[in-house]
């Protein structure tokens, strides 16, 4: 199983362990803790399974803008397209592209260490441009579950024709709502990320991908900053 998948599963287990408190705990408190741990475990497991899928997901952003997540396996690779840019992670390189100018400009840096997953900080630019990624959602949910003052409610909905489980979180660090489809794909998200309001919703899902999604945009200028790169 990919290391990223294992990491998410370990994260969910650690949250459950932290929330299962012994000692002078009332039955009501135990119910709240168990409810939170179940929510975290279920959504983390869905996102975990999605790390092993090949799929394309298109998202609607406010103002008529759009974003996309494309993921494939053997080898594992992913691409995140958002207004003004694209982030691609493959075994060969992490590629950041800006697409705001007349000509796209891309920079290649060393890929993640084999067997590891990209850090959440890697997705900072995508977050700022309105595309919150699944690892970021897991982190937000985990933080909320560990907050004893947080209120977490569960509901179900349908997003782009796919059933999804949702959580509505009210906490001191910020309120948000996240939905995850049965396939494990992020269905929708509304709330602050890195201090900026974010809102997106899935409008198309496919179990196939365009291999060109992992390449720099056509005609892009490319700067290779990997060790030994030109």
């Amino acid at each position: 199983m990919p290391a990223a998948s294992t990491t998410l599963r370990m994260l969910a287990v650690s949250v459950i362990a932290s929330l299962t408190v012994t000692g002078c705990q009332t039955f009501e408190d135990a119910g709240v803790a168990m409810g939170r741990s179940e929510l975290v475990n279920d959504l983390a497991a869905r996102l975990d399974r999605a790390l092993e899928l090949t799929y394309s997901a298109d998202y609607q952003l406010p103002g008529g803008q759009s974003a996309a997540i494309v993921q494939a396996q053997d080898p594992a690779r992913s691409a995140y397209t958002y207004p003004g840019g694209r982030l691609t992670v493959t075994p060969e390189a992490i590629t950041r592209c800006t697409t705001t100018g007349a000509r796209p400009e891309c920079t290649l840096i060393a890929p993640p260490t084999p067997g590891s997953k990209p850090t959440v900080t890697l997705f900072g630019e995508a977050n700022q441009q309105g595309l919150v990624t699944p690892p970021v959602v897991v982190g937000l949910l985990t933080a909320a579950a560990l907050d004893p003052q947080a209120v977490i409610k569960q509901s179900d909905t349908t997003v782009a024709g796919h059933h999804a489980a949702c959580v509505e979180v009210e906490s001191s660090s910020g309120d948000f709502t996240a939905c995850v489809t049965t396939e494990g794909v992020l269905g929708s998200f509304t709330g602050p990320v890195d201090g900026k309001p974010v809102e997106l919703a899935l409008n198309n899902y496919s179990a196939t991908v365009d291999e060109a999604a992992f390449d720099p945009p056509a005609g892009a200028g490319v700067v290779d900053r990997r060790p030994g790169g030109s």
Side-chain angles (χ1 to χ4, degrees):
M1 178 175 293
S5 177
T6 302
T7 301
L8 280 178
R9 185 168 288 118
M10 291 176 64
L11 175 63
V13 172
S14 67
V15 171
I16 294 172
S18 299
L19 291 172
T20 307
V21 182
T22 58
C24 300
Q25 181 183 28
T26 67
F27 285 107
E28 180 179 0
D29 289 339
V32 171
M34 180 57 70
R36 286 177 177 163
S37 66
E38 288 175 346
L39 288 175
V40 171
N41 188 47
D42 178 64
L43 293 188
R46 291 192 187 192
L47 292 170
D48 178 17
R49 289 195 299 271
L51 293 174
E52 302 174 18
L53 296 178
T54 292
Y55 73 88
S56 303
D58 297 324
Y59 293 93
Q60 184 68 47
L61 306 182
Q65 294 185 308
S66 61
I69 297 176
V70 180
Q71 184 174 285
Q73 310 299 325
D74 301 323
R77 53 209 189 279
S78 55
Y80 307 86
T81 303
Y82 45 86
R86 179 193 293 179
L87 170 69
T88 305
V89 182
T90 70
E92 292 76 33
I94 294 173
T95 305
R96 296 182 183 274
C97 298
T98 58
T99 57
T100 53
R103 180 191 186 195
E105 299 292 339
C106 300
T107 301
L108 280 62
I109 61 174
T113 303
S116 68
K117 70 171 184 175
T119 63
V120 172
T121 57
L122 182 66
F123 304 109
E125 178 65 19
N127 294 339
Q128 287 299 308
Q129 299 304 321
L131 175 60
V132 59
T133 61
V136 173
V137 174
V138 171
L140 291 171
L141 182 60
T142 301
L146 293 173
D147 179 357
Q149 302 303 316
V151 177
I152 303 176
K153 301 177 183 178
Q154 184 179 21
S155 62
D156 294 284
T157 190
T158 300
V159 183
H162 295 261
H163 177 267
C166 304
V167 287
E168 180 182 347
V169 176
E170 299 177 8
S171 70
S172 58
S173 59
D175 302 345
F176 68 89
T177 300
C179 298
V180 180
T181 71
T182 302
E183 295 86 355
V185 174
L186 181 62
S188 65
F189 181 90
T190 302
V193 178
D194 294 342
K196 181 176 180 178
V198 172
E199 181 180 351
L200 61 75
L202 181 70
N203 62 14
N204 187 56
Y205 169 83
S206 173
T208 62
V209 302
D210 179 357
E211 290 293 331
F214 307 108
D215 299 328
V222 178
V223 176
D224 192 345
R225 294 183 176 171
R226 294 173 295 179
S230 56

